[in-house]
């Protein structure tokens, strides 16, 4: 009888902890599949628009400078991510949505590589947010002059503000 009561009590505690986690932190959203690359930090999997969390890639039409010339760094960031992922199945996890309704996700390749971190490490995105989750990867890309760090660029958030369309 004691064993049954202990088992029931353990189950109730686990249920309560799960409910608290869902209420305080939010539900975990998981999705996997081949990704259509919309830009350097936005994917589409099974009709769901996903925004890579902790990073900000140049916008698709963003222009940077390299060797004194204009360079379509936004298109290059998108192409690089498209080539990197190919048709491989990616796995994404989220606990939130952004103000555009996209799930904000961390995604990994089949081998466990963090795609968000890879984009920053290769220089095709900058870290964003107050916590700068990929600061070491960004320092490495900057020091190696990889991706957008091979030239000059406006931070993608600043570029969006400068090029916002009037409403």
């Amino acid at each position: 009888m004691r064993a049954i009561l202990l088992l029931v009590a353990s189950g109730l505690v686990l249920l309560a902890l799960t409910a608290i986690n869902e209420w305080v932190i939010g539900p975990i959203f998981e999705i996997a599949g081949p990704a259509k690359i919309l830009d350097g930090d936005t994917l589409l999997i099974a009709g769901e628009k996903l925004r890579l969390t902790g990073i900000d890639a140049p916008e698709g039409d963003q222009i940077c400078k390299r060797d004194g010339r204009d360079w379509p760094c936004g298109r290059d960031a998108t192409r690089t991510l498209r080539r990197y992922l190919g048709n491989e199945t990616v796995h994404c996890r989220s606990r939130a949505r952004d103000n555009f309704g996209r799930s904000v996700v961390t995604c990994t390749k089949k081998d466990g590589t963090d795609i968000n971190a890879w984009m920053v490490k290769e220089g095709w995105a900058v870290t964003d947010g107050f916590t700068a989750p990929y600061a070491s990867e960004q320092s490495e890309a900057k020091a190696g002059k990889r991706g957008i760090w091979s030239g000059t660029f406006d931070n993608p958030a600043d570029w969006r503000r400068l090029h916002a369309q009037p409403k």
Side-chain angles (χ1 to χ4, degrees), residues 53-56 114-128 134-142 146 149:
T53 191
I55 74 171
D56 199 4
D114 181 328
I115 296 164
N116 309 40
W118 185 88
M119 284 295 286
V120 175
K121 185 177 179 180
E122 294 302 312
W124 294 110
V126 294
T127 190
D128 76 353
Y134 301 108
S136 64
E137 289 86 351
Q138 182 168 294
S139 294
E140 188 177 324
K142 189 175 181 180
R146 291 195 290 263
W149 298 101

Side-chain angles (χ1 to χ4, degrees), residues 4-46:
I4 292 173
L5 286 175
L6 185 58
L7 186 60
V8 169
S10 297
L12 288 173
V13 168
L14 182 60
L15 186 62
L17 289 173
T18 301
I20 290 169
N21 184 50
E22 292 289 314
W23 181 67
V24 173
I25 299 174
I28 294 176
F29 169 82
E30 294 188 40
I31 191 166
K36 178 179 180 184
I37 310 307
L38 302 180
D39 65 28
D41 55 23
T42 310
L43 316 174
L44 187 69
I45 298 178

Side-chain angles (χ1 to χ4, degrees), residues 146-166:
R146 291 195 290 263
I148 57 177
W149 298 101
S150 66
T152 59
F153 63 94
D154 290 324
N155 182 293
D158 296 337
W159 190 91
R160 283 190 298 277
R161 275 191 292 280
L162 290 169
H163 295 86
Q165 298 296 318

Side-chain angles (χ1 to χ4, degrees), residues 1 34 40 44-45 48-49 52 94 100 109 118 140 147 150:
M1 183 63 150
L44 187 69
I45 298 178
E48 183 77 25
K49 212 171 197 182
L52 298 176
S94 172
F100 299 105
K109 290 181 72 170
W118 185 88
E140 188 177 324
S150 66

Side-chain angles (χ1 to χ4, degrees), residues 37-40 58-60 73-83 119:
I37 310 307
L38 302 180
D39 65 28
E59 293 301 310
C73 59
R75 282 197 320 231
D76 282 356
T78 302
R79 273 184 259 188
T80 299
L81 182 57
R82 191 172 288 133
R83 276 193 308 268
M119 284 295 286

Side-chain angles (χ1 to χ4, degrees), residues 90-107:
V90 297
H91 300 269
C92 303
R93 292 175 55 108
S94 172
R95 290 189 180 269
R97 290 196 178 268
D98 67 10
N99 54 345
F100 299 105
R102 300 173 296 189
S103 291
V104 182
V105 296
T106 301
C107 296

